[in-house]
Amino acid sequence: MARGNSGQLRIIGGQWRGRKVPVPTAEGLRPTGDRIRETLFNWLAAQIPDAHCLDLFAGTGALGLEALSRGAAHCAFVEIASRPAAALEGSIRTLNAESRCEILRCSAEEALNRLRNDTPDRSFHVAFLDPPFEKELLSPALEQLCDSGILTHDAVIYVECSMRETLAVPSGWTERRQKRSGEVAYGLLERSA
């Protein structure tokens, strides 16, 4: 989404199908489009019910909210920018989903440290990594996430980046799915067999 534009984003499946959430104006905020989300959640159909999810660069919360709408048990949203975090809090209240959500208003690095150190028994089944494009955020966050110990043994990680970015898949992980749409490359990672 271009800076200066604000609008709404539609949840495309599950109990909140058709509900709209606000998209605030914020630099680098680029919600994942409907077509990509539809493909992603078709891929994740078996993993989402009752899953604990981590939306690491949440922005509008489109990915985490879509997961909750489709039956995920809980989602931790990480968003450092104040306007998107405030809009996300409002969306969660509007959807009456407070008991299934938490928002960490900090950087991805700080959130991963906090989740690892403060809640050592917590683990996530699905993680979404869709940082602002071309800011050199994806690979370091992915590496830290994979080393954090907060993912279940059968966890999957969704990654989304610009086609101009190079994604280094961490040791012990492999690409299960990958696809491109326009200038966007996206896919799922899983632990190597």
Side-chain angles (χ1 to χ4, degrees):
M1 164 154 245
R3 186 165 196 221
N5 294 338
S6 62
Q8 295 183 321
L9 177 81
R10 182 177 59 92
I11 297 173
I12 56 175
Q15 78 178 90
W16 301 321
R17 181 182 182 156
R19 298 283 299 267
K20 294 181 179 173
V21 297
V23 177
T25 301
E27 185 173 355
L29 188 62
R30 180 203 34 78
T32 300
D34 286 8
R35 255 191 359 222
I36 293 174
R37 277 187 288 130
E38 187 67 46
T39 298
L40 168 61
F41 285 95
N42 284 339
W43 289 347
L44 292 176
Q47 281 96 353
I48 290 297
D50 300 318
H52 287 254
C53 301
L54 174 63
D55 194 345
L56 195 54
F57 296 90
T60 62
L63 297 173
L65 292 174
E66 193 74 49
L68 291 167
S69 181
R70 293 168 184 253
H74 186 269
C75 187
F77 296 91
V78 178
E79 180 53 51
I80 194 169
S82 59
R83 292 179 84 185
L88 178 55
E89 285 174 347
S91 296
I92 290 167
R93 276 192 305 276
T94 298
L95 296 168
N96 294 317
E98 296 95 331
S99 66
R100 297 169 59 201
C101 302
E102 68 180 298
I103 297 179
L104 297 145
R105 286 181 171 227
C106 58
S107 70
E109 180 180 7
E110 184 181 338
L112 290 171
N113 285 331
R114 190 183 308 173
L115 289 167
R116 182 186 68 228
N117 296 328
D118 296 350
T119 52
D121 57 340
R122 174 189 271 185
S123 56
F124 296 95
H125 305 97
V126 179
F128 303 105
L129 275 74
D130 177 18
F133 282 2
E134 299 175 27
K135 302 279 188 195
E136 304 295 328
L137 297 170
L138 181 57
S139 289
L142 179 58
E143 191 72 39
Q144 185 184 5
L145 174 64
C146 291
D147 290 342
S148 68
I150 63 170
L151 297 173
T152 62
H153 71 281
D154 58 349
V156 292
I157 303 171
Y158 171 74
V159 292
E160 183 175 323
C161 61
S162 164
M163 296 238 311
R164 293 181 291 280
E165 293 178 81
T166 301
L167 174 66
V169 177
S171 176
W173 291 80
T174 187
E175 282 188 291
R176 182 172 98 187
R177 303 254 190 174
Q178 60 181 346
K179 200 162 182 176
R180 300 177 191 278
S181 178
E183 291 297 309
V184 177
Y186 61 102
L188 286 181
L189 305 180
E190 66 182 4
R191 292 186 200 275
S192 303

